[in-house]
Amino acid sequence: MTDIRTTDLAAVRPRLTARSRGERVFGAVNATLLVLLCLGMLYPFITVLAQSFSSSGAIKAGQVNFLPVDFNVDTYAAVMSNEQFWRNYGNTVLYTVVGTAIAMTLTTTYAFVLSKPHLKGRKVLIGIAVFTMFFNGGLVPNYVLISALGMKNTMWALVLPGAISVFNLLVMKAFFENLPKELEEAAQIDGLGWYGIFGKIVLPLSKAVIATMVLFYSVAFWNDWFAAFLYLDKSELFPITLFLRNLIAGASTTASEGAAAAGSTTAQVSANIQAVTMILTVIPILTIYPFVQRYFVSGVMLGSVKG
């Protein structure tokens, strides 16, 4: 009997593991399409990277694709040799870290409160938040308000107005609502209060959504230049995005100093400054993303299991 079963399993196993012709064709086509899609998404970035190291003539002639033409680093040298550049880069890091910390503190606590159906006035609080998605005071009233509060030419003019994104708030609220209620009930039986439940139960179970929101907020604060353009007059307070914007527009003395320092490379600075700007701006985000990616995967898996 044992020999017969062993023989039957040995005969069936190849048929179970073997892939049909249709499956092999599908796998090959699927892999090819995914590779082409990845190349299509990488092509613009690779082109910009190549342009940042190419000469102005090659860029204007449209000769730059995947590899630099007439390799040079004059634009990088002109931008990065300026002390103002590094000071503004440090400002951006500070604004991003402080702004993201404040935004995550407010968003997580607000979302946790809104996720409780028994909360009195819950609908009013949700309505207040949603209302701001469709209506705002406008540019001039916001400017007057920031000035009246004494936040002009301070870091707070950049980090406080965007401290809560209603979209992120609603996403996190929905996530908190899907957490098992039995965990909170068990924690309450063990003597934990709401602060203990939030800090020791809810937040550790929400790493995926928290990592996603941290990335959203940090990217928003990192890329924001318009608020600094409105509320900051002192160049030593500028974020790096505003510094680089002024280089492109030719509207700041730092840009003139950088071009003068470059000497004969002024034409090249003006030609590929946009490419250098994008590369210098995106590098920190590209550095952080690999560490956050695994939490995106965890979030997708959690959603599929609960669904």
Side-chain angles (χ1 to χ4, degrees):
M1 182 67 67
T2 303
D3 294 339
I4 295 175
R5 290 180 178 177
T6 304
T7 303
D8 292 341
L9 290 175
V12 171
R13 187 177 293 110
R15 281 180 281 174
L16 294 175
T17 57
R19 300 174 62 191
S20 65
R21 181 179 178 182
E23 290 175 337
R24 292 196 298 271
V25 172
F26 173 78
V29 173
N30 192 32
T32 302
L33 291 177
L34 289 176
V35 170
L36 293 176
L37 181 63
C38 291
L39 291 176
M41 290 187 293
L42 289 175
Y43 175 75
F45 178 78
I46 295 175
T47 301
V48 171
L49 181 62
Q51 288 179 351
S52 68
F53 291 103
S54 300
S55 65
S56 60
I59 296 174
K60 293 178 181 179
Q63 299 174 352
V64 183
N65 289 310
F66 288 99
L67 297 175
V69 179
D70 299 333
F71 184 87
N72 80 90
V73 292
D74 296 322
T75 305
Y76 281 100
V79 174
M80 300 178 67
S81 63
N82 197 318
E83 294 182 1
Q84 188 72 23
F85 171 83
W86 294 110
R87 185 180 298 110
N88 295 157
Y89 218 106
N91 291 340
T92 298
V93 174
L94 176 63
Y95 300 159
T96 302
V97 172
V98 174
T100 303
I102 294 175
M104 289 303 302
T105 301
L106 297 178
T107 302
T108 52
T109 51
Y110 196 1
F112 180 69
V113 169
L114 296 181
S115 66
K116 303 305 171 188
H118 58 79
L119 176 69
K120 294 182 179 180
R122 174 173 176 266
K123 292 184 179 180
V124 176
L125 293 175
I126 295 176
I128 293 173
V130 174
F131 180 84
T132 61
M133 295 182 67
F134 303 100
F135 304 97
N136 62 75
L139 184 61
V140 175
N142 283 335
Y143 182 84
V144 172
L145 176 63
I146 295 297
S147 300
L149 292 175
M151 292 193 298
K152 190 177 178 182
N153 284 320
T154 66
M155 173 180 63
W156 310 114
L158 307 184
V159 301
L160 291 183
I164 295 183
S165 168
V166 179
F167 174 80
N168 295 343
L169 174 68
L170 296 179
V171 170
M172 188 165 286
K173 166 183 165 294
F175 186 90
F176 288 161
E177 288 175 341
N178 289 327
L179 292 176
K181 301 298 185 294
E182 293 79 9
L183 293 176
E184 294 184 5
E185 294 174 357
Q188 289 177 339
I189 293 175
D190 290 337
L192 282 180
W194 285 114
Y195 291 104
I197 293 173
F198 179 70
K200 297 181 180 181
I201 304 297
V202 175
L203 292 183
L205 293 175
S206 307
K207 291 181 179 179
V209 68
I210 289 176
T212 304
M213 295 300 110
V214 166
L215 183 64
F216 287 170
Y217 277 121
S218 60
V219 170
F221 283 115
W222 183 272
N223 291 332
D224 185 27
W225 65 270
F226 189 66
F229 180 74
L230 289 177
Y231 305 126
L232 300 182
D233 297 329
K234 300 178 181 179
S235 60
E236 61 269 18
L237 298 176
F238 286 175
I240 190 61
T241 48
L242 183 57
F243 174 85
L244 295 175
R245 178 263 174 194
N246 289 338
L247 281 182
I248 295 175
S252 69
T253 55
T254 51
S256 300
E257 292 173 359
S264 61
T265 63
T266 303
Q268 290 186 1
V269 170
S270 62
N272 60 356
I273 185 65
Q274 292 184 359
V276 173
T277 298
M278 287 184 279
I279 295 299
L280 292 176
T281 303
V282 79
I283 284 176
I285 303 302
L286 291 180
T287 304
I288 295 173
Y289 183 78
F291 299 98
V292 184
Q293 183 181 11
R294 64 191 184 98
Y295 292 106
F296 286 126
V297 177
S298 300
V300 173
M301 295 300 295
L302 286 173
S304 63
V305 171
K306 290 181 180 180

